[in-house]
Amino acid sequence: MAFLSKLFGNKTSETKSRSNDSVEAIINDVENNPFGVAENNVLFAGLNELGGYFFFQTVIVGQLSVKSKTGSKLSFIGDDFNLQLESDMPEFESESSPIKGRNVTKIDFQIEESDVKRLEDASLRSIQIQVKKHDILFTKNVVVEISDEEE
C-alpha cells in the first residue's frame, strides 16, 4: 500500500500540506496596493520604462508555483478593450516564501509605447495570466482610500 501512495501520491497528506494562507493575509502583508485579486493569488503590477522600452512588471503572490521555459501571456479585458502581452523572458520560476504555501512569481511583459496610453485610459474588468497549465483570472482591484475628512 505504501508503494502505491509513493507512486501516485497520498491525497490526505497533500490536503494537509496545503496552506491556510488567504488573499486577505497577502494583501495585509504586502505594503503595495494590489492590481488584481484571484481566488488564491494576488497580482501586484506596474508600468516601467528602461532605455526607451516599456515593460509591464508583475509580481504574483499566492499559491501559484510554476517553472516555465516557454513564457507567459497576460491579457487585459475591459469595456471595449482587449490587450494581450507576451512575457519578456521565456524562462522564470516561482520562489517560495517564508510563509507556508505562499510563492512569489515575478514576470515582466513587453508593452509597446502606443499601448501604454490605451492601457492607462482603459476601464479594466479583469486581468488573465496564462503560463503552462495555469490560467488565472484576476479581477481588477479597486482601492478605496480614506481621506482626512472621512476619518
Side-chain angles (χ1 to χ4, degrees), residues 27 33-37 124-125 127 139-145:
I27 292 171
N33 290 330
F35 192 80
V37 178
L124 296 178
R125 288 191 317 261
I127 304 99
T139 55
K140 179 77 171 105
N141 191 53
V142 178
V143 178
V144 178
E145 302 219 5

Side-chain angles (χ1 to χ4, degrees), residues 17-67:
S17 70
R18 283 215 175 110
S19 164
N20 291 331
D21 197 19
S22 69
V23 169
E24 291 81 18
I26 295 169
I27 292 171
N28 290 334
D29 288 349
V30 179
E31 292 178 13
N32 295 338
N33 290 330
F35 192 80
V37 178
E39 186 177 344
N40 299 309
N41 297 285
V42 179
L43 174 69
F44 298 91
L47 286 166
N48 202 352
E49 185 249 334
L50 180 65
Y53 294 98
F54 291 88
F55 299 93
F56 191 80
Q57 297 178 310
T58 66
V59 178
I60 302 165
V61 181
Q63 292 182 7
L64 175 64
S65 180
V66 68
K67 183 175 184 176

Side-chain angles (χ1 to χ4, degrees), residues 3-150:
F3 170 75
L4 289 177
S5 65
K6 284 183 181 179
L7 186 61
F8 295 107
N10 188 342
K11 298 257 185 212
T12 55
S13 66
E14 181 182 317
T15 306
K16 288 179 185 174
S17 70
R18 283 215 175 110
S19 164
N20 291 331
D21 197 19
S22 69
V23 169
E24 291 81 18
I26 295 169
I27 292 171
N28 290 334
D29 288 349
V30 179
E31 292 178 13
N32 295 338
N33 290 330
F35 192 80
V37 178
E39 186 177 344
N40 299 309
N41 297 285
V42 179
L43 174 69
F44 298 91
L47 286 166
N48 202 352
E49 185 249 334
L50 180 65
Y53 294 98
F54 291 88
F55 299 93
F56 191 80
Q57 297 178 310
T58 66
V59 178
I60 302 165
V61 181
Q63 292 182 7
L64 175 64
S65 180
V66 68
K67 183 175 184 176
S68 175
K69 292 185 178 192
T70 57
S72 176
K73 292 183 180 168
L74 179 70
S75 300
F76 296 96
I77 302 134
D79 301 329
D80 298 325
F81 181 79
N82 195 349
L83 176 65
Q84 188 172 49
L85 305 177
E86 298 283 333
S87 59
D88 181 41
M89 300 284 291
E91 294 186 23
F92 57 86
E93 73 179 287
S94 302
E95 298 175 13
S96 61
S97 157
I99 297 171
K100 181 181 175 186
R102 186 184 292 181
N103 299 300
V104 177
T105 309
K106 299 175 184 178
I107 311 170
D108 292 346
F109 294 89
Q110 301 171 6
I111 185 168
E112 297 297 321
E113 187 173 1
S114 58
D115 291 329
V116 170
K117 181 70 174 151
R118 288 182 46 222
L119 180 59
E120 289 173 342
D121 293 341
S123 295
L124 296 178
R125 288 191 317 261
S126 60
I127 304 99
Q128 181 178 18
I129 288 192
Q130 296 169 307
V131 56
K132 289 187 110 174
K133 64 181 181 188
H134 303 280
D135 191 345
I136 304 172
L137 186 65
F138 295 92
T139 55
K140 179 77 171 105
N141 191 53
V142 178
V143 178
V144 178
E145 302 219 5
I146 299 173
S147 68
D148 292 337
E149 295 171 3
E150 294 176 18

